[in-house]
Amino acid sequence: MCPLPAPWKLLWLLVLLLWRCRLSLCDLKVRVRLEDGQVTEETLQADSERDCITLEFRKTDGTFITYLADFKQDVKIFRALILGELERGQSQFQALCFVTRLQSNEIIPSESMAKLRQKNPHTVRQAEEMRGIENMHMDVAINFTKGVQLSSHIHNICAEAKEAIFTRQDDVRAWLEKGVDGSMFEVLPQPSSLPALRQCKFCSLDWKPCMCSYRLSLEWFPCSLKYCKSRDPSGRTTSYKCGIRSCQKGYSFNFYVSQKQLCLWDEET
């Protein structure tokens, strides 16, 4: 085969890069307003090869939030990197991971996400649909080493949260029916079995076990596709994709911690 002239090599390389962005990894940056009124920038990345979408942003208090939708395994992962309170003996940051099943129509497909483009990058976006807050009782711990069976992304997303990966018994039952190894799950203590187990915000001793709460909100994400109608030359009505619908959704996670020291943000104010 004859070698390509230098200009053609550059052109071919450019084509490959554009193709890679179009079909695999593409970033979309969106400015959104947080619950406290401050503006932050969300980064949404679609990987059509691995069939997943990642959404990341930083909260006003410095907490870094990651949401990942794994369409291949029908799993979604939330990770929070929370700045620690050094003066109270915490490390520089604390990591939490919450893993649940991904339901249909929660977010647009990765291929559709990869095609989105930002027209007005300085505009502060507001979601069209408010989906409220979903309360999640995370009563099961996931073994980090074995979690790859649920999603290959757990080893990457939850690496800093090896001892704090949580899910729900309802999700566990569904995964067990699919043949997932049950030894990766450990049911955590609950108030029903330990009457003395209190909410962390009402617990006065940092070393006592308690039930912790953590709340986060995805202020803007493309939750569904919009379809418009047109007529073909024969007069027949057809529909076609003509945009996306954006949503806002909050999540409140409730889970067991071995000591209140691991849940200082939940103190009573």
Side-chain angles (χ1 to χ4, degrees), residues 215-231:
R215 186 173 180 270
L216 64 86
S217 179
L218 304 182
E219 297 300 330
W220 189 98
F221 63 96
C223 53
S224 61
L225 299 173
K226 289 182 178 178
Y227 290 86
C228 297
K229 294 183 178 180
S230 65
R231 293 184 180 274

Side-chain angles (χ1 to χ4, degrees), residues 6-21:
W8 285 102
K9 286 183 179 179
L10 292 175
L11 179 60
W12 181 242
L13 177 61
L14 179 61
V15 170
L16 286 176
L17 290 173
L18 290 174
W19 178 85
R20 172 69 176 174
C21 177

Side-chain angles (χ1 to χ4, degrees), residues 35-61:
E35 295 175 285
D36 60 7
Q38 299 298 310
V39 175
T40 191
E41 185 176 75
E42 288 184 357
T43 299
L44 297 96
Q45 184 183 81
D47 187 338
S48 54
E49 288 183 2
R50 302 182 71 185
D51 200 10
C52 67
I53 291 174
T54 305
L55 185 157
E56 294 185 314
F57 65 94
R58 191 176 300 277
K59 296 173 65 175
T60 308
D61 63 3

Side-chain angles (χ1 to χ4, degrees), residues 29 34 40-44 54-68 77-84 92-98 156-157 160-161 214-218:
K29 297 186 183 298
L34 299 174
T40 191
E41 185 176 75
E42 288 184 357
T43 299
L44 297 96
T54 305
L55 185 157
E56 294 185 314
F57 65 94
R58 191 176 300 277
K59 296 173 65 175
T60 308
D61 63 3
T63 300
F64 191 73
I65 301 295
T66 299
Y67 164 85
L68 184 138
I77 304 170
F78 300 89
R79 181 191 65 184
L81 296 179
I82 306 164
L83 293 180
Q92 187 173 4
F93 67 87
Q94 182 179 345
L96 300 171
C97 256
F98 306 104
N156 179 37
I157 300 294
E160 297 90 354
Y214 188 77
R215 186 173 180 270
L216 64 86
S217 179
L218 304 182

Side-chain angles (χ1 to χ4, degrees), residues 99-161:
V99 183
T100 67
R101 287 177 294 164
L102 178 67
Q103 305 296 333
S104 60
N105 299 322
E106 281 194 50
I107 192 168
I108 65 173
S110 60
E111 287 189 4
S112 299
M113 180 68 217
K115 296 175 182 177
L116 295 183
R117 297 294 179 266
Q118 175 66 284
K119 294 181 179 179
N120 301 302
H122 300 295
T123 301
V124 177
R125 302 291 175 181
Q126 185 173 353
E128 301 170 77
E129 180 182 335
M130 311 301 284
R131 291 189 169 181
I133 299 176
E134 183 176 358
N135 294 300
M136 294 189 169
H137 189 55
M138 312 301 284
D139 49 4
V140 177
I142 298 176
N143 181 289
F144 172 75
T145 304
K146 299 179 180 180
V148 68
Q149 293 184 50
L150 296 179
S151 171
S152 61
H153 302 280
I154 287 180
H155 274 196
N156 179 37
I157 300 294
C158 301
E160 297 90 354

